[in-house]
Amino acid sequence: MSKKNKIALALMLLLGIGIFIYSVRGVSYRALVDDIHNLHWGWIVVAFLCMGLSILCEAIVVKRLLKRQFPDFSLKDSLRIPLIEALFNGITPFSSGGQPAQLFALVQSGVDAGRATSILLMKFVVYQSMIVINFIVCLFLGFHLIADKLHVMGILLLFGFVIHLAVIIGLLLIMYWYNFTKKLTKLCLKPFKRFLAPARYERYDKMINEKIDNFYRESLTMKDNYKLLFQISLITLVQLFFYYIIPYFILLALRVDHVSLVTVMTLHVLIVMIISLFPIPGGAGGAEYSFSLIFSTFVDSGSKLVLAMLIWRIITYYFGMFGGMVALVISPRKYQRKTLATKED
């Protein structure tokens, strides 16, 4: 990790501690201690296992994508990729550091940059698609449950969905209507010509067109592997299932057992969508506020709500980050690319 990233990590840890201290300011210390003492630790272990299984599913996706050209790529080295992604997603605004960090980790393992980019691209497209599908389903199932609580955040929720959907539509346009997308991009960039210096405009135009060209070249591989796409889509759905179910087990650990599994998962999907809009790394502040606001529906005790929020953040945010720190110091095996690639099975 660079010095800048280490500082960002330290700041995020301090910010997390600060948010927790602020959250407990109006809570009885005795009540909080009693709630910790009464926790059902078995369900906490199950919640941690779900997070671990979610990370494992993502590692299986990486291993599956590498299978054709790196058939001996181990599950242990595949696990490094989502853990490092979690670390750098957690310390960069809008989770922007996760993709470059994964690319670096794959190159460390001997995967050439071009192939690594293709793998991460396929993984990103599938993950975003599954997020959007999950959200659409949950929007119909659970939005009415929290609409009166969200107010302005309801607009943010829909805005987040529009952004995720726009990303998918944009990628599909490049994949299937390449020439049309190039013309559309040129048309959209034209108004900026009036406000930007000619050299700067040309630089942006060249950069955007290069990214479109690179994505299109990589997408040709994706379009030829429908079976593989279907397989990793199913694994990604399982990955998201394990992630979205975590708050349910946290509530059970707090002995809040009058909740519906489907309802809790639905609300967690909506929370994750809201968090993605906050520019602060890890959605710090916004994540805690959203969780407390939405899950106050089930938890009427202030101390239990704060404890639930803290456990949820430790499992879904800090667990992956600390795992990523461990993954960084473990040197991966250097793999050799298979020379005779067979058709993807």
PDB file of all heavy atoms in Angstrom, residues 61 64-65 67-68 122 126 176 220-236 343-345:
ATOM      1  N   VAL A  61     -15.936 -16.975  -8.840  1.00  0.00           N
ATOM      2  CA  VAL A  61     -16.164 -16.293 -10.125  1.00  0.00           C
ATOM      3  C   VAL A  61     -14.822 -15.982 -10.795  1.00  0.00           C
ATOM      4  O   VAL A  61     -14.629 -16.225 -11.993  1.00  0.00           O
ATOM      5  CB  VAL A  61     -16.983 -14.997  -9.924  1.00  0.00           C
ATOM      6  CG1 VAL A  61     -16.949 -14.128 -11.178  1.00  0.00           C
ATOM      7  CG2 VAL A  61     -18.427 -15.327  -9.557  1.00  0.00           C
ATOM      8  N   ARG A  64     -13.245 -19.170 -11.999  1.00  0.00           N
ATOM      9  CA  ARG A  64     -13.970 -19.683 -13.172  1.00  0.00           C
ATOM     10  C   ARG A  64     -13.604 -18.895 -14.433  1.00  0.00           C
ATOM     11  O   ARG A  64     -13.450 -19.476 -15.507  1.00  0.00           O
ATOM     12  CB  ARG A  64     -15.479 -19.589 -12.907  1.00  0.00           C
ATOM     13  CG  ARG A  64     -16.346 -20.256 -13.967  1.00  0.00           C
ATOM     14  CD  ARG A  64     -16.179 -21.761 -13.927  1.00  0.00           C
ATOM     15  NE  ARG A  64     -16.845 -22.396 -15.075  1.00  0.00           N
ATOM     16  CZ  ARG A  64     -16.313 -22.540 -16.275  1.00  0.00           C
ATOM     17  NH1 ARG A  64     -15.082 -22.108 -16.515  1.00  0.00           N
ATOM     18  NH2 ARG A  64     -16.976 -23.139 -17.255  1.00  0.00           N
ATOM     19  N   LEU A  65     -13.444 -17.592 -14.295  1.00  0.00           N
ATOM     20  CA  LEU A  65     -13.088 -16.761 -15.440  1.00  0.00           C
ATOM     21  C   LEU A  65     -11.661 -17.016 -15.912  1.00  0.00           C
ATOM     22  O   LEU A  65     -11.330 -16.809 -17.076  1.00  0.00           O
ATOM     23  CB  LEU A  65     -13.262 -15.277 -15.084  1.00  0.00           C
ATOM     24  CG  LEU A  65     -14.710 -14.783 -14.951  1.00  0.00           C
ATOM     25  CD1 LEU A  65     -14.751 -13.396 -14.337  1.00  0.00           C
ATOM     26  CD2 LEU A  65     -15.410 -14.773 -16.304  1.00  0.00           C
ATOM     27  N   LYS A  67     -10.180 -20.014 -15.693  1.00  0.00           N
ATOM     28  CA  LYS A  67     -10.012 -21.457 -15.877  1.00  0.00           C
ATOM     29  C   LYS A  67      -9.413 -21.831 -17.233  1.00  0.00           C
ATOM     30  O   LYS A  67      -8.549 -22.714 -17.315  1.00  0.00           O
ATOM     31  CB  LYS A  67     -11.363 -22.160 -15.684  1.00  0.00           C
ATOM     32  CG  LYS A  67     -11.262 -23.681 -15.781  1.00  0.00           C
ATOM     33  CD  LYS A  67     -12.631 -24.322 -15.616  1.00  0.00           C
ATOM     34  CE  LYS A  67     -12.538 -25.836 -15.814  1.00  0.00           C
ATOM     35  NZ  LYS A  67     -13.868 -26.464 -15.734  1.00  0.00           N
ATOM     36  N   ARG A  68      -9.842 -21.179 -18.300  1.00  0.00           N
ATOM     37  CA  ARG A  68      -9.404 -21.601 -19.637  1.00  0.00           C
ATOM     38  C   ARG A  68      -7.906 -21.401 -19.838  1.00  0.00           C
ATOM     39  O   ARG A  68      -7.213 -22.292 -20.310  1.00  0.00           O
ATOM     40  CB  ARG A  68     -10.184 -20.834 -20.721  1.00  0.00           C
ATOM     41  CG  ARG A  68      -9.835 -21.302 -22.127  1.00  0.00           C
ATOM     42  CD  ARG A  68     -10.699 -20.663 -23.174  1.00  0.00           C
ATOM     43  NE  ARG A  68     -10.578 -19.209 -23.177  1.00  0.00           N
ATOM     44  CZ  ARG A  68     -11.185 -18.442 -24.070  1.00  0.00           C
ATOM     45  NH1 ARG A  68     -11.991 -18.968 -24.965  1.00  0.00           N
ATOM     46  NH2 ARG A  68     -11.020 -17.141 -24.039  1.00  0.00           N
ATOM     47  N   MET A 122     -15.771  -8.504 -17.412  1.00  0.00           N
ATOM     48  CA  MET A 122     -16.872  -9.457 -17.417  1.00  0.00           C
ATOM     49  C   MET A 122     -17.488  -9.558 -16.016  1.00  0.00           C
ATOM     50  O   MET A 122     -18.713  -9.576 -15.857  1.00  0.00           O
ATOM     51  CB  MET A 122     -16.375 -10.822 -17.883  1.00  0.00           C
ATOM     52  CG  MET A 122     -17.481 -11.770 -18.293  1.00  0.00           C
ATOM     53  SD  MET A 122     -16.902 -13.382 -18.893  1.00  0.00           S
ATOM     54  CE  MET A 122     -16.068 -12.940 -20.389  1.00  0.00           C
ATOM     55  N   VAL A 126     -21.422  -8.414 -15.066  1.00  0.00           N
ATOM     56  CA  VAL A 126     -22.339  -9.380 -14.446  1.00  0.00           C
ATOM     57  C   VAL A 126     -22.787  -8.881 -13.081  1.00  0.00           C
ATOM     58  O   VAL A 126     -23.987  -8.928 -12.751  1.00  0.00           O
ATOM     59  CB  VAL A 126     -21.663 -10.767 -14.327  1.00  0.00           C
ATOM     60  CG1 VAL A 126     -22.506 -11.707 -13.468  1.00  0.00           C
ATOM     61  CG2 VAL A 126     -21.458 -11.376 -15.709  1.00  0.00           C
ATOM     62  N   TYR A 176     -23.340  -3.988 -28.345  1.00  0.00           N
ATOM     63  CA  TYR A 176     -24.205  -4.403 -29.447  1.00  0.00           C
ATOM     64  C   TYR A 176     -24.457  -3.313 -30.501  1.00  0.00           C
ATOM     65  O   TYR A 176     -24.879  -3.618 -31.607  1.00  0.00           O
ATOM     66  CB  TYR A 176     -25.547  -4.895 -28.886  1.00  0.00           C
ATOM     67  CG  TYR A 176     -25.402  -6.145 -28.070  1.00  0.00           C
ATOM     68  CD1 TYR A 176     -25.381  -6.098 -26.668  1.00  0.00           C
ATOM     69  CD2 TYR A 176     -25.259  -7.388 -28.681  1.00  0.00           C
ATOM     70  CE1 TYR A 176     -25.239  -7.259 -25.911  1.00  0.00           C
ATOM     71  CE2 TYR A 176     -25.113  -8.557 -27.931  1.00  0.00           C
ATOM     72  CZ  TYR A 176     -25.106  -8.478 -26.543  1.00  0.00           C
ATOM     73  OH  TYR A 176     -24.959  -9.620 -25.807  1.00  0.00           O
ATOM     74  N   LEU A 220     -16.224  -8.581 -27.108  1.00  0.00           N
ATOM     75  CA  LEU A 220     -16.329  -9.620 -28.132  1.00  0.00           C
ATOM     76  C   LEU A 220     -16.108 -11.000 -27.518  1.00  0.00           C
ATOM     77  O   LEU A 220     -16.744 -11.981 -27.904  1.00  0.00           O
ATOM     78  CB  LEU A 220     -15.314  -9.359 -29.259  1.00  0.00           C
ATOM     79  CG  LEU A 220     -15.537  -8.078 -30.069  1.00  0.00           C
ATOM     80  CD1 LEU A 220     -14.412  -7.891 -31.082  1.00  0.00           C
ATOM     81  CD2 LEU A 220     -16.888  -8.100 -30.779  1.00  0.00           C
ATOM     82  N   THR A 221     -15.186 -11.072 -26.547  1.00  0.00           N
ATOM     83  CA  THR A 221     -14.929 -12.329 -25.839  1.00  0.00           C
ATOM     84  C   THR A 221     -16.149 -12.730 -25.019  1.00  0.00           C
ATOM     85  O   THR A 221     -16.535 -13.904 -24.966  1.00  0.00           O
ATOM     86  CB  THR A 221     -13.713 -12.173 -24.903  1.00  0.00           C
ATOM     87  OG1 THR A 221     -12.614 -11.650 -25.652  1.00  0.00           O
ATOM     88  CG2 THR A 221     -13.320 -13.495 -24.285  1.00  0.00           C
ATOM     89  N   MET A 222     -16.757 -11.733 -24.364  1.00  0.00           N
ATOM     90  CA  MET A 222     -17.920 -11.997 -23.519  1.00  0.00           C
ATOM     91  C   MET A 222     -19.075 -12.554 -24.331  1.00  0.00           C
ATOM     92  O   MET A 222     -19.744 -13.506 -23.912  1.00  0.00           O
ATOM     93  CB  MET A 222     -18.362 -10.700 -22.823  1.00  0.00           C
ATOM     94  CG  MET A 222     -17.391 -10.185 -21.791  1.00  0.00           C
ATOM     95  SD  MET A 222     -17.871  -8.566 -21.173  1.00  0.00           S
ATOM     96  CE  MET A 222     -19.441  -8.938 -20.430  1.00  0.00           C
ATOM     97  N   LYS A 223     -19.318 -11.973 -25.508  1.00  0.00           N
ATOM     98  CA  LYS A 223     -20.470 -12.371 -26.323  1.00  0.00           C
ATOM     99  C   LYS A 223     -20.346 -13.802 -26.849  1.00  0.00           C
ATOM    100  O   LYS A 223     -21.331 -14.435 -27.203  1.00  0.00           O
ATOM    101  CB  LYS A 223     -20.651 -11.393 -27.491  1.00  0.00           C
ATOM    102  CG  LYS A 223     -21.170 -10.028 -27.051  1.00  0.00           C
ATOM    103  CD  LYS A 223     -21.610  -9.170 -28.219  1.00  0.00           C
ATOM    104  CE  LYS A 223     -20.468  -8.622 -29.007  1.00  0.00           C
ATOM    105  NZ  LYS A 223     -20.896  -7.685 -30.055  1.00  0.00           N
ATOM    106  N   ASP A 224     -19.100 -14.308 -26.895  1.00  0.00           N
ATOM    107  CA  ASP A 224     -18.876 -15.673 -27.367  1.00  0.00           C
ATOM    108  C   ASP A 224     -18.970 -16.707 -26.248  1.00  0.00           C
ATOM    109  O   ASP A 224     -18.796 -17.898 -26.480  1.00  0.00           O
ATOM    110  CB  ASP A 224     -17.486 -15.783 -28.028  1.00  0.00           C
ATOM    111  CG  ASP A 224     -17.436 -15.003 -29.345  1.00  0.00           C
ATOM    112  OD1 ASP A 224     -18.508 -14.815 -29.947  1.00  0.00           O
ATOM    113  OD2 ASP A 224     -16.338 -14.594 -29.742  1.00  0.00           O
ATOM    114  N   ASN A 225     -19.208 -16.249 -25.016  1.00  0.00           N
ATOM    115  CA  ASN A 225     -19.202 -17.153 -23.862  1.00  0.00           C
ATOM    116  C   ASN A 225     -20.497 -17.042 -23.060  1.00  0.00           C
ATOM    117  O   ASN A 225     -20.477 -16.742 -21.867  1.00  0.00           O
ATOM    118  CB  ASN A 225     -18.004 -16.839 -22.959  1.00  0.00           C
ATOM    119  CG  ASN A 225     -16.686 -17.277 -23.558  1.00  0.00           C
ATOM    120  OD1 ASN A 225     -16.493 -18.432 -23.867  1.00  0.00           O
ATOM    121  ND2 ASN A 225     -15.793 -16.337 -23.734  1.00  0.00           N
ATOM    122  N   TYR A 226     -21.615 -17.305 -23.708  1.00  0.00           N
ATOM    123  CA  TYR A 226     -22.909 -17.191 -23.039  1.00  0.00           C
ATOM    124  C   TYR A 226     -23.046 -18.181 -21.883  1.00  0.00           C
ATOM    125  O   TYR A 226     -23.609 -17.862 -20.839  1.00  0.00           O
ATOM    126  CB  TYR A 226     -24.048 -17.402 -24.039  1.00  0.00           C
ATOM    127  CG  TYR A 226     -24.272 -16.217 -24.945  1.00  0.00           C
ATOM    128  CD1 TYR A 226     -24.006 -16.293 -26.306  1.00  0.00           C
ATOM    129  CD2 TYR A 226     -24.759 -15.007 -24.428  1.00  0.00           C
ATOM    130  CE1 TYR A 226     -24.210 -15.202 -27.143  1.00  0.00           C
ATOM    131  CE2 TYR A 226     -24.968 -13.914 -25.257  1.00  0.00           C
ATOM    132  CZ  TYR A 226     -24.686 -14.016 -26.613  1.00  0.00           C
ATOM    133  OH  TYR A 226     -24.878 -12.931 -27.416  1.00  0.00           O
ATOM    134  N   LYS A 227     -22.510 -19.389 -22.077  1.00  0.00           N
ATOM    135  CA  LYS A 227     -22.589 -20.404 -21.028  1.00  0.00           C
ATOM    136  C   LYS A 227     -21.820 -19.946 -19.786  1.00  0.00           C
ATOM    137  O   LYS A 227     -22.304 -20.069 -18.653  1.00  0.00           O
ATOM    138  CB  LYS A 227     -22.034 -21.729 -21.546  1.00  0.00           C
ATOM    139  CG  LYS A 227     -22.195 -22.877 -20.550  1.00  0.00           C
ATOM    140  CD  LYS A 227     -21.624 -24.164 -21.112  1.00  0.00           C
ATOM    141  CE  LYS A 227     -21.712 -25.289 -20.085  1.00  0.00           C
ATOM    142  NZ  LYS A 227     -21.108 -26.549 -20.586  1.00  0.00           N
ATOM    143  N   LEU A 228     -20.628 -19.408 -20.005  1.00  0.00           N
ATOM    144  CA  LEU A 228     -19.812 -18.905 -18.907  1.00  0.00           C
ATOM    145  C   LEU A 228     -20.504 -17.742 -18.204  1.00  0.00           C
ATOM    146  O   LEU A 228     -20.533 -17.669 -16.968  1.00  0.00           O
ATOM    147  CB  LEU A 228     -18.438 -18.464 -19.425  1.00  0.00           C
ATOM    148  CG  LEU A 228     -17.477 -17.830 -18.415  1.00  0.00           C
ATOM    149  CD1 LEU A 228     -17.135 -18.813 -17.307  1.00  0.00           C
ATOM    150  CD2 LEU A 228     -16.220 -17.341 -19.107  1.00  0.00           C
ATOM    151  N   LEU A 229     -21.084 -16.839 -18.986  1.00  0.00           N
ATOM    152  CA  LEU A 229     -21.804 -15.698 -18.410  1.00  0.00           C
ATOM    153  C   LEU A 229     -22.969 -16.159 -17.540  1.00  0.00           C
ATOM    154  O   LEU A 229     -23.198 -15.607 -16.458  1.00  0.00           O
ATOM    155  CB  LEU A 229     -22.334 -14.788 -19.534  1.00  0.00           C
ATOM    156  CG  LEU A 229     -21.353 -13.775 -20.127  1.00  0.00           C
ATOM    157  CD1 LEU A 229     -21.986 -13.070 -21.319  1.00  0.00           C
ATOM    158  CD2 LEU A 229     -20.921 -12.748 -19.089  1.00  0.00           C
ATOM    159  N   PHE A 230     -23.675 -17.175 -18.009  1.00  0.00           N
ATOM    160  CA  PHE A 230     -24.800 -17.701 -17.233  1.00  0.00           C
ATOM    161  C   PHE A 230     -24.309 -18.297 -15.916  1.00  0.00           C
ATOM    162  O   PHE A 230     -24.903 -18.077 -14.863  1.00  0.00           O
ATOM    163  CB  PHE A 230     -25.546 -18.766 -18.065  1.00  0.00           C
ATOM    164  CG  PHE A 230     -26.698 -19.390 -17.339  1.00  0.00           C
ATOM    165  CD1 PHE A 230     -27.873 -18.674 -17.115  1.00  0.00           C
ATOM    166  CD2 PHE A 230     -26.610 -20.698 -16.866  1.00  0.00           C
ATOM    167  CE1 PHE A 230     -28.941 -19.251 -16.430  1.00  0.00           C
ATOM    168  CE2 PHE A 230     -27.672 -21.281 -16.188  1.00  0.00           C
ATOM    169  CZ  PHE A 230     -28.839 -20.551 -15.967  1.00  0.00           C
ATOM    170  N   GLN A 231     -23.223 -19.047 -15.985  1.00  0.00           N
ATOM    171  CA  GLN A 231     -22.668 -19.682 -14.779  1.00  0.00           C
ATOM    172  C   GLN A 231     -22.247 -18.647 -13.738  1.00  0.00           C
ATOM    173  O   GLN A 231     -22.589 -18.758 -12.558  1.00  0.00           O
ATOM    174  CB  GLN A 231     -21.474 -20.567 -15.154  1.00  0.00           C
ATOM    175  CG  GLN A 231     -21.858 -21.831 -15.900  1.00  0.00           C
ATOM    176  CD  GLN A 231     -20.638 -22.584 -16.417  1.00  0.00           C
ATOM    177  OE1 GLN A 231     -19.511 -22.103 -16.359  1.00  0.00           O
ATOM    178  NE2 GLN A 231     -20.875 -23.780 -16.936  1.00  0.00           N
ATOM    179  N   ILE A 232     -21.484 -17.629 -14.176  1.00  0.00           N
ATOM    180  CA  ILE A 232     -21.007 -16.646 -13.197  1.00  0.00           C
ATOM    181  C   ILE A 232     -22.134 -15.728 -12.721  1.00  0.00           C
ATOM    182  O   ILE A 232     -22.065 -15.177 -11.624  1.00  0.00           O
ATOM    183  CB  ILE A 232     -19.801 -15.832 -13.731  1.00  0.00           C
ATOM    184  CG1 ILE A 232     -20.173 -14.999 -14.961  1.00  0.00           C
ATOM    185  CG2 ILE A 232     -18.622 -16.733 -14.026  1.00  0.00           C
ATOM    186  CD1 ILE A 232     -19.052 -14.067 -15.415  1.00  0.00           C
ATOM    187  N   SER A 233     -23.186 -15.596 -13.544  1.00  0.00           N
ATOM    188  CA  SER A 233     -24.363 -14.832 -13.097  1.00  0.00           C
ATOM    189  C   SER A 233     -25.046 -15.538 -11.933  1.00  0.00           C
ATOM    190  O   SER A 233     -25.441 -14.905 -10.948  1.00  0.00           O
ATOM    191  CB  SER A 233     -25.356 -14.652 -14.249  1.00  0.00           C
ATOM    192  OG  SER A 233     -24.795 -13.863 -15.273  1.00  0.00           O
ATOM    193  N   LEU A 234     -25.173 -16.862 -12.040  1.00  0.00           N
ATOM    194  CA  LEU A 234     -25.782 -17.648 -10.958  1.00  0.00           C
ATOM    195  C   LEU A 234     -24.933 -17.571  -9.686  1.00  0.00           C
ATOM    196  O   LEU A 234     -25.463 -17.397  -8.585  1.00  0.00           O
ATOM    197  CB  LEU A 234     -25.941 -19.111 -11.383  1.00  0.00           C
ATOM    198  CG  LEU A 234     -27.055 -19.422 -12.375  1.00  0.00           C
ATOM    199  CD1 LEU A 234     -27.083 -20.907 -12.704  1.00  0.00           C
ATOM    200  CD2 LEU A 234     -28.428 -19.003 -11.825  1.00  0.00           C
ATOM    201  N   ILE A 235     -23.608 -17.690  -9.843  1.00  0.00           N
ATOM    202  CA  ILE A 235     -22.714 -17.615  -8.673  1.00  0.00           C
ATOM    203  C   ILE A 235     -22.794 -16.237  -8.037  1.00  0.00           C
ATOM    204  O   ILE A 235     -22.804 -16.103  -6.804  1.00  0.00           O
ATOM    205  CB  ILE A 235     -21.257 -17.942  -9.078  1.00  0.00           C
ATOM    206  CG1 ILE A 235     -21.159 -19.358  -9.631  1.00  0.00           C
ATOM    207  CG2 ILE A 235     -20.321 -17.796  -7.868  1.00  0.00           C
ATOM    208  CD1 ILE A 235     -19.831 -19.681 -10.310  1.00  0.00           C
ATOM    209  N   THR A 236     -22.898 -15.200  -8.869  1.00  0.00           N
ATOM    210  CA  THR A 236     -22.996 -13.828  -8.351  1.00  0.00           C
ATOM    211  C   THR A 236     -24.304 -13.625  -7.593  1.00  0.00           C
ATOM    212  O   THR A 236     -24.331 -12.929  -6.570  1.00  0.00           O
ATOM    213  CB  THR A 236     -22.877 -12.800  -9.502  1.00  0.00           C
ATOM    214  OG1 THR A 236     -21.629 -13.004 -10.188  1.00  0.00           O
ATOM    215  CG2 THR A 236     -22.918 -11.371  -8.977  1.00  0.00           C
ATOM    216  N   LYS A 343     -11.731 -24.407 -25.953  1.00  0.00           N
ATOM    217  CA  LYS A 343     -13.003 -23.686 -25.879  1.00  0.00           C
ATOM    218  C   LYS A 343     -13.562 -23.764 -24.471  1.00  0.00           C
ATOM    219  O   LYS A 343     -13.482 -24.797 -23.819  1.00  0.00           O
ATOM    220  CB  LYS A 343     -14.017 -24.299 -26.852  1.00  0.00           C
ATOM    221  CG  LYS A 343     -15.270 -23.461 -26.967  1.00  0.00           C
ATOM    222  CD  LYS A 343     -16.191 -24.058 -27.991  1.00  0.00           C
ATOM    223  CE  LYS A 343     -17.486 -23.272 -28.071  1.00  0.00           C
ATOM    224  NZ  LYS A 343     -18.438 -23.825 -29.017  1.00  0.00           N
ATOM    225  N   GLU A 344     -14.108 -22.656 -23.987  1.00  0.00           N
ATOM    226  CA  GLU A 344     -14.645 -22.574 -22.600  1.00  0.00           C
ATOM    227  C   GLU A 344     -15.718 -23.615 -22.405  1.00  0.00           C
ATOM    228  O   GLU A 344     -16.621 -23.763 -23.207  1.00  0.00           O
ATOM    229  CB  GLU A 344     -15.240 -21.175 -22.378  1.00  0.00           C
ATOM    230  CG  GLU A 344     -15.570 -20.896 -20.967  1.00  0.00           C
ATOM    231  CD  GLU A 344     -14.314 -20.753 -20.113  1.00  0.00           C
ATOM    232  OE1 GLU A 344     -13.526 -19.879 -20.400  1.00  0.00           O
ATOM    233  OE2 GLU A 344     -14.176 -21.549 -19.181  1.00  0.00           O
ATOM    234  N   ASP A 345     -15.579 -24.417 -21.348  1.00  0.00           N
ATOM    235  CA  ASP A 345     -16.628 -25.409 -21.085  1.00  0.00           C
ATOM    236  C   ASP A 345     -17.512 -24.949 -19.968  1.00  0.00           C
ATOM    237  O   ASP A 345     -17.203 -24.068 -19.235  1.00  0.00           O
ATOM    238  CB  ASP A 345     -16.024 -26.774 -20.758  1.00  0.00           C
ATOM    239  CG  ASP A 345     -14.974 -26.692 -19.662  1.00  0.00           C
ATOM    240  OD1 ASP A 345     -14.849 -25.607 -19.063  1.00  0.00           O
ATOM    241  OD2 ASP A 345     -14.299 -27.686 -19.420  1.00  0.00           O
TER     242      ASP A 345
END
